[in-house]
Amino acid sequence: MSLIHELTLGDVLGEHRRGRPLDVAAVDGAVRLTYPALDARVNRLAGALAGAGVQRGERVLWLGQNSFRILELLLACGRLGAVLCPANWRQTSDELGFVLGDLEPKVVVWEESEAVAQARAESPVKAAWVQAGLEYEEFLAAHPDDEPSAPVDGGEPVLALYTAAFDGRPHAALLSHRALIAHAEALLHQREMRDGFAFLACGPMFHVGTTMFVLATFLLGGKNVFTPAYEPQEVCRLIDAESCTQAFLFGPMIDGLVAANADGEYDLSSLRFVAHSPAWDAMITVDDSPWCSSKMGGYGQTEVGGMLTFLGLAPGGAGPAGRAGTLAAIRLLDAAGREVPAGEVGEICARGWSVFSGYHNRPELNEAKFRGGWHHTGDLGRREPDGTLTFIGPKLRMIKSANENIYPAEVERALKSHPSIADAAVIGVPDERFGQTVKAVVVLAEGASETEESVIEHVRGEIASYKKPRHVAFVAEIPKKGYTPDYDALDAAHGGGNYPGSS
Amino acid sequence: MSLIHELTLGDVLGEHRRGRPLDVAAVDGAVRLTYPALDARVNRLAGALAGAGVQRGERVLWLGQNSFRILELLLACGRLGAVLCPANWRQTSDELGFVLGDLEPKVVVWEESEAVAQARAESPVKAAWVQAGLEYEEFLAAHPDDEPSAPVDGGEPVLALYTAAFDGRPHAALLSHRALIAHAEALLHQREMRDGFAFLACGPMFHVGTTMFVLATFLLGGKNVFTPAYEPQEVCRLIDAESCTQAFLFGPMIDGLVAANADGEYDLSSLRFVAHSPAWDAMITVDDSPWCSSKMGGYGQTEVGGMLTFLGLAPGGAGPAGRAGTLAAIRLLDAAGREVPAGEVGEICARGWSVFSGYHNRPELNEAKFRGGWHHTGDLGRREPDGTLTFIGPKLRMIKSANENIYPAEVERALKSHPSIADAAVIGVPDERFGQTVKAVVVLAEGASETEESVIEHVRGEIASYKKPRHVAFVAEIPKKGYTPDYDALDAAHGGGNYPGSS
């Protein structure tokens, strides 16, 4: 793309510095940055990162809770043509070690945590480690606020998000400036985000669901409010104090806010959001934008920047996933790459401006994902007679618990690492509160003896706690289809169900 | 851009064929096409154009009133990597001859007109001439509806619109698939266009103001209603019959509709549009989208796909042109390409996704327009303290006095703000001490009486003192070239000269 048509995250920030000199870009605790102040810090940070060896294409890793520093680091990486990866901070030291080795970051910015300290001590990867807080401030203070002068190609990646652990380990999806800006623009439209929009980032920023709204708010020149994690009382306080228009919220989180604000201490009327319950609807301003007027969203995944389809483009449509966003095209393909007719199930494949650039360091997987010029999502779907899409489910199974994606393969890997466990398979069982919870079906090694508690405890030590089984069934044998567990048989025998897309 | 990230107008049509099999894409008199029907006709038309010698990069010319065929031809050219130019049909045969010679189209689709017939007879350009109507239907009917298989680069031009006759003859601004889609997406956001949007194209489609909404409606998968030209009674009838959400309308056109519907014969309540007068507001649904809630629009030109700034991004802002659209960046540059500080006047320069690809067949002009990686709009602007933009006027000439740059448009704007001044133009006259000084040529309003001193004093109160005229000539009329003062004639009559660069 020629220079005259280029637009990077840095260009957006440069425009806001000029066009919104008085507007607040970021709020986080006592930190309050206007767009010019953010721009100056981003330039200092870019200088500091370059000084630490971060060049075009290199990676910077964030290991911590939500922070305005994630936005700063992303924009600073953007100015250098480098990539920021905000990773899940609550992973085990083994998982963190995998990320370090896979990503090979030049700089790691981290918040105090035992697992992070252990991963750092054990990792052979050489990186500059900068602790968020004073050390971080000193790191950037030493550099001038001149904008780096080398031009950046908007087609190059700037954000990496780990996802898709379908084969046991996650892969870092790379998203370019162009993909992030295009997706943000589509959100501006669907969410009808207007001048003055303020977003409260109370969901985890290593997840695209929160980050896509931070980026849309940034593209608009709005205000992003960061809070380390979802804490109901504090979320209520921030919505009130900062007049937030939206926050990252769904079912159980909303119930938490209703309970925390039962006495009406906080004024939440600035929030223009989805109807949920009479008490909630009375606290907020129920919004009728296409994003908010039905069940939120549509179908998406990290690899398309967030959303691929929108319900708001198909009100009253037959397919519960809506229609393709305006900057994307979809084909439902069979295993041979041929389009399946309407009404038949095929793999959801996508092309367009917001599609990712592949996974970091996975050339073979990327070739397979992008075969025939279409991104293969790994999910199955069907076109209804009115052209709307129904999401059928992952080609490989996925469990969705409290809005987190859990891949059976990853939990199975953790289970099998226990010396007493000879074989294991994982299913999702319906759960009233979380949608699904994880159930492990386990074959013990000859002579071994374990309890439900000891198995769960083992997994908790291996992977992030939210992925651990809540239930364990001990069996003599796992039914198989070829080399893989026969999940349908397991579901039937052990009460599996409520998988994403199955409703 | 890699195939996986590509999105052309043809891809958008292909998606709508699948995602909106039942939805109406285009209405024009008795013609009523669903998206699949439009897609089939576009493919036949692409085959017919290719058969007539239209290859990648070649031009097709439309000479006629508004018609669904303009959309069909644009999409068919898009499928071939070719360019459609819908040109002003009401030009003289001399002007039409210039367009034919400049554009060298392979195919001309035309509607009966004396001037067109004369231009055809006189032009040495060899093209296939296809008359809209039966001949056009036969032209496309002979070809199958298979989609052309050669991939199209979304960065290549697909639409040409004649504009910018600043040197006496117009230039054809080339807009790529990418620019048109990006601009349309920005309009979807600002206009808050929702599923079911229906646009009535009652303004001329050789002008970007109408065409940009046709394209946004197409991108959304909405319904475009075409009518040959603005005719108040017919426009009312179509809004009612087709439940149009918007039409291309402004002040006097709106008054025409109010008069035509004085007896309330037509139900115009489907129209969600700008407030205008009590009678109008009672007929329609007054809309509060950012586009409609203030004076419509912002600052724009054909060369940026339509709008460069939006008022809806700066409600209550100081600068009446608003802020840059979210997919563009703006710089105010001086003659040397340096950014001017906020509060000072510079040329409005732009970069971003919707910027045009240059003028057809004007390599030298394009090089000048794109110097330094910024599109030079030829217009002057100023950043206000809140970052919003004020549009000053076109930069045709520059006066240099005591080393200061003075743009006539800015001084003229100040002069015309005086209630006694009906018209004004500003020239530079040689000055021994300062190089040049400013001379105002003024037409007083009927019955008004002013002195040289009172006029100078007024300007001094409006803009920086060094820009005020030192001399004032009172005249009965300002000579014009089109809409702008004829500065050469003014210089000759009033002693102008010694302009920078004129040596």
Side-chain angles (χ1 to χ4, degrees):
Chain A
M1 197 177 280
S2 72
L3 186 57
I4 212 105
H5 301 117
E6 193 59 89
L7 193 75
T8 64
L9 293 181
D11 293 325
V12 174
L13 178 58
E15 180 57 34
H16 290 334
R17 168 161 77 78
R18 294 164 173 87
R20 296 187 178 273
L22 310 174
D23 291 2
V24 174
V27 174
D28 188 349
V31 173
R32 197 169 190 86
L33 299 172
T34 62
Y35 274 99
L38 176 65
D39 181 79
R41 283 179 61 90
V42 163
N43 285 333
R44 283 194 210 106
L45 190 53
L49 292 173
V54 177
Q55 296 177 13
R56 198 181 138 198
E58 302 277 6
R59 277 81 51 206
V60 172
L61 179 62
W62 167 265
L63 293 175
Q65 293 183 285
N66 280 3
S67 164
F68 74 104
R69 298 178 191 95
I70 300 177
L71 181 59
E72 277 189 356
L73 284 163
L74 176 69
L75 296 170
C77 284
R79 285 244 158 101
L80 297 171
V83 176
L84 175 73
C85 176
N88 187 346
W89 174 73
R90 287 207 205 127
Q91 296 179 94
T92 64
S93 63
D94 170 67
E95 288 171 315
L96 291 168
F98 170 79
V99 164
L100 281 166
D102 185 48
L103 204 68
E104 299 181 283
K106 286 281 177 203
V107 174
V108 182
V109 186
W110 66 298
E111 290 182 337
E112 191 62 57
S113 131
E114 210 172 294
V116 171
Q118 189 184 335
R120 177 183 182 177
E122 288 171 0
S123 176
V125 172
K126 281 192 181 160
W129 287 70
V130 181
Q131 197 165 0
L134 204 58
E135 198 172 282
Y136 176 87
E137 289 303 317
E138 284 165 2
F139 179 67
L140 69 81
H143 290 267
D145 61 5
D146 302 336
E147 189 172 324
S149 57
V152 171
D153 177 351
E156 289 192 18
V158 62
L159 178 66
L161 294 174
Y162 273 95
T163 185
F166 39 72
D167 49 7
R169 285 292 199 188
H171 308 284
L174 297 170
L175 290 153
S176 69
H177 295 259
R178 240 174 253 161
L180 295 176
I181 291 171
H183 188 275
E185 185 71 25
L187 268 193
L188 292 185
H189 171 224
Q190 285 297 307
R191 178 62 185 84
E192 293 185 350
M193 293 168 71
R194 294 184 179 185
D195 189 79
F197 200 89
F199 180 67
L200 175 58
C202 57
M205 286 188 65
F206 54 79
H207 191 288
V208 77
T210 297
T211 300
M212 70 185 189
F213 270 108
V214 169
L215 288 167
T217 303
F218 168 72
L219 182 66
L220 184 64
K223 177 170 72 172
N224 274 298
V225 181
F226 299 89
T227 187
Y230 171 80
E231 199 287 302
Q233 193 84 8
E234 177 65 0
V235 166
C236 288
R237 191 190 68 76
L238 284 168
I239 292 169
D240 185 350
E242 298 294 342
S243 299
C244 294
T245 326
Q246 188 177 320
F248 182 81
L249 296 172
F250 61 93
M253 297 170 85
I254 292 177
D255 293 332
L257 299 193
V258 170
N261 198 34
D263 61 358
E265 185 182 350
Y266 302 107
D267 177 1
L268 308 187
S269 64
S270 64
L271 205 72
R272 301 182 63 93
F273 207 53
V274 183
H276 176 71
S277 64
W280 172 250
D281 299 357
M283 282 180 191
I284 66 158
T285 304
V286 174
D287 193 80
D288 81 332
S289 74
W291 180 265
C292 290
S293 59
S294 54
K295 277 188 289 182
M296 280 186 295
Y299 160 79
Q301 59 174 206
T302 306
E303 290 87 340
V304 296
M307 308 307 299
L308 180 61
T309 70
F310 290 97
L311 280 170
L313 290 170
R323 287 197 176 91
T326 44
L327 301 178
I330 288 177
R331 290 289 181 283
L332 296 169
L333 303 181
D334 68 15
R338 288 173 306 229
E339 188 170 9
V340 303
E344 289 187 19
V345 171
E347 183 169 1
I348 302 171
C349 296
R351 174 187 289 172
W353 292 0
S354 76
V355 173
F356 79 141
S357 309
Y359 301 109
H360 172 68
N361 209 15
R362 303 283 190 281
E364 282 172 35
L365 178 58
N366 292 338
E367 206 173 302
K369 279 295 218 185
F370 286 176
R371 65 189 182 274
W374 290 91
H375 161 54
H376 291 62
T377 63
D379 289 321
L380 300 172
R382 183 179 62 220
R383 292 263 192 199
E384 302 304 335
D386 63 356
T388 55
L389 198 77
T390 297
F391 168 63
I392 303 292
K395 276 176 80 182
L396 297 165
R397 288 216 176 187
M398 191 179 77
I399 298 163
K400 196 133 195 164
S401 183
N403 219 37
E404 293 282 4
N405 296 338
I406 301 169
Y407 298 95
E410 195 181 7
V411 186
E412 287 162 5
R413 198 173 163 278
L415 285 161
K416 290 182 205 164
S417 72
H418 192 298
S420 299
I421 295 180
D423 199 3
V426 156
I427 60 172
V429 293
D431 183 273
E432 209 165 286
R433 182 145 176 240
F434 297 116
Q436 285 190 298
T437 52
V438 175
K439 182 167 188 174
V441 183
V442 164
V443 179
L444 289 178
E446 228 175 288
S449 160
E450 294 293 333
T451 64
E452 181 167 43
E453 289 68 35
S454 68
V455 168
I456 293 172
E457 206 45 46
H458 168 73
V459 175
R460 189 213 299 277
E462 294 286 311
I463 55 178
S465 175
Y466 70 85
K467 301 174 189 166
K468 71 176 185 293
R470 308 268 168 172
H471 317 279
V472 181
F474 295 95
V475 297
E477 200 184 0
I478 306 275
K480 295 281 164 88
K481 260 186 179 172
Y483 295 103
T484 56
D486 182 343
Y487 289 106
D488 293 329
L490 285 165
D491 283 340
H494 299 280
N498 210 27
Y499 290 94
S502 65
S503 56
Chain B
M1 195 178 278
S2 72
L3 187 57
I4 212 106
H5 301 118
E6 193 58 90
L7 194 73
T8 64
L9 293 181
D11 292 325
V12 173
L13 179 58
E15 180 58 33
H16 290 334
R17 169 160 76 80
R18 293 164 173 85
R20 298 188 176 271
L22 310 174
D23 291 1
V24 173
V27 175
D28 188 349
V31 173
R32 196 170 190 85
L33 299 172
T34 62
Y35 275 99
L38 177 64
D39 181 79
R41 283 179 61 90
V42 163
N43 285 333
R44 282 193 210 108
L45 190 52
L49 292 172
V54 177
Q55 297 178 13
R56 197 181 137 197
E58 302 278 6
R59 278 81 52 209
V60 172
L61 179 62
W62 167 264
L63 293 175
Q65 300 189 84
N66 280 1
S67 164
F68 74 103
R69 298 178 191 96
I70 300 176
L71 179 59
E72 277 188 356
L73 283 163
L74 177 69
L75 295 170
C77 285
R79 286 242 158 101
L80 297 171
V83 175
L84 175 73
C85 177
N88 187 347
W89 174 72
R90 286 205 207 129
Q91 297 179 93
T92 63
S93 63
D94 170 67
E95 289 170 314
L96 291 169
F98 170 78
V99 165
L100 281 167
D102 186 48
L103 203 67
E104 299 181 283
K106 286 282 178 203
V107 173
V108 183
V109 185
W110 66 298
E111 290 181 337
E112 192 61 55
S113 130
E114 209 173 294
V116 171
Q118 189 184 336
R120 177 184 182 177
E122 288 171 0
S123 176
V125 172
K126 279 188 184 165
W129 288 69
V130 180
Q131 196 165 0
L134 203 58
E135 197 171 284
Y136 176 87
E137 289 302 317
E138 284 166 2
F139 179 67
L140 69 81
H143 290 267
D145 62 4
D146 302 338
E147 190 172 322
S149 56
V152 171
D153 177 351
E156 289 192 18
V158 62
L159 178 67
L161 294 175
Y162 274 93
T163 184
F166 38 72
D167 50 7
R169 285 292 198 185
H171 308 285
L174 297 170
L175 290 153
S176 69
H177 295 259
R178 242 175 250 160
L180 295 176
I181 291 172
H183 187 276
E185 185 70 25
L187 269 193
L188 291 185
H189 172 223
Q190 285 297 307
R191 179 60 186 83
E192 293 186 350
M193 293 167 71
R194 295 184 178 185
D195 189 78
F197 199 90
F199 180 67
L200 175 59
C202 56
M205 287 189 64
F206 55 78
H207 190 288
V208 77
T210 297
T211 300
M212 69 186 190
F213 270 108
V214 169
L215 287 167
T217 304
F218 168 72
L219 182 67
L220 184 64
K223 176 170 73 174
N224 275 298
V225 181
F226 299 89
T227 186
Y230 171 79
E231 199 286 302
Q233 192 84 8
E234 176 65 359
V235 166
C236 288
R237 191 191 68 76
L238 283 168
I239 291 170
D240 185 351
E242 297 294 340
S243 299
C244 294
T245 326
Q246 189 176 320
F248 182 82
L249 296 172
F250 59 91
M253 297 169 86
I254 292 177
D255 293 331
L257 298 195
V258 170
N261 197 34
D263 61 358
E265 184 182 350
Y266 302 106
D267 176 1
L268 308 187
S269 64
S270 63
L271 205 72
R272 302 182 62 93
F273 208 52
V274 183
H276 176 71
S277 64
W280 173 250
D281 298 358
M283 282 179 192
I284 66 157
T285 304
V286 174
D287 193 81
D288 82 332
S289 74
W291 180 265
C292 290
S293 60
S294 56
K295 276 186 293 180
M296 281 186 294
Y299 159 79
Q301 58 174 206
T302 306
E303 290 86 340
V304 296
M307 309 307 299
L308 180 60
T309 70
F310 289 98
L311 280 169
L313 290 170
R323 288 197 175 91
T326 43
L327 300 178
I330 287 176
R331 290 289 181 284
L332 296 170
L333 303 180
D334 69 14
R338 288 173 305 230
E339 188 170 8
V340 304
E344 290 189 18
V345 171
E347 184 170 2
I348 302 170
C349 296
R351 176 186 287 172
W353 292 1
S354 75
V355 174
F356 79 142
S357 309
Y359 301 108
H360 172 68
N361 208 16
R362 303 283 190 280
E364 283 171 34
L365 177 59
N366 292 338
E367 206 175 300
K369 278 296 214 185
F370 287 177
R371 65 190 182 273
W374 289 92
H375 161 54
H376 291 62
T377 62
D379 289 321
L380 299 172
R382 184 177 62 219
R383 290 264 193 200
E384 303 303 336
D386 64 355
T388 54
L389 198 77
T390 297
F391 167 64
I392 302 292
K395 174 199 170 185
L396 294 165
R397 293 219 169 179
M398 195 179 76
I399 298 164
K400 196 134 194 164
S401 183
N403 222 34
E404 295 281 4
N405 296 337
I406 300 168
Y407 298 99
E410 195 184 7
V411 186
E412 286 160 7
R413 201 169 163 277
L415 285 162
K416 289 183 205 163
S417 72
H418 192 297
S420 298
I421 296 179
D423 198 2
V426 157
I427 60 172
V429 294
D431 182 275
E432 210 166 285
R433 188 157 166 225
F434 297 117
Q436 285 189 298
T437 51
V438 174
K439 182 168 187 174
V441 183
V442 164
V443 180
L444 288 179
E446 226 175 291
S449 159
E450 295 293 331
T451 64
E452 181 166 43
E453 290 68 36
S454 69
V455 168
I456 294 172
E457 205 46 44
H458 169 73
V459 175
R460 190 214 297 276
E462 294 285 311
I463 54 178
S465 176
Y466 69 86
K467 299 175 189 167
K468 71 175 185 296
R470 308 268 167 173
H471 316 280
V472 180
F474 294 94
V475 297
E477 200 184 0
I478 307 275
K480 295 280 166 84
K481 259 189 180 170
Y483 295 104
T484 58
D486 182 344
Y487 288 106
D488 293 330
L490 286 165
D491 284 341
H494 300 280
N498 209 27
Y499 290 93
S502 67
S503 62

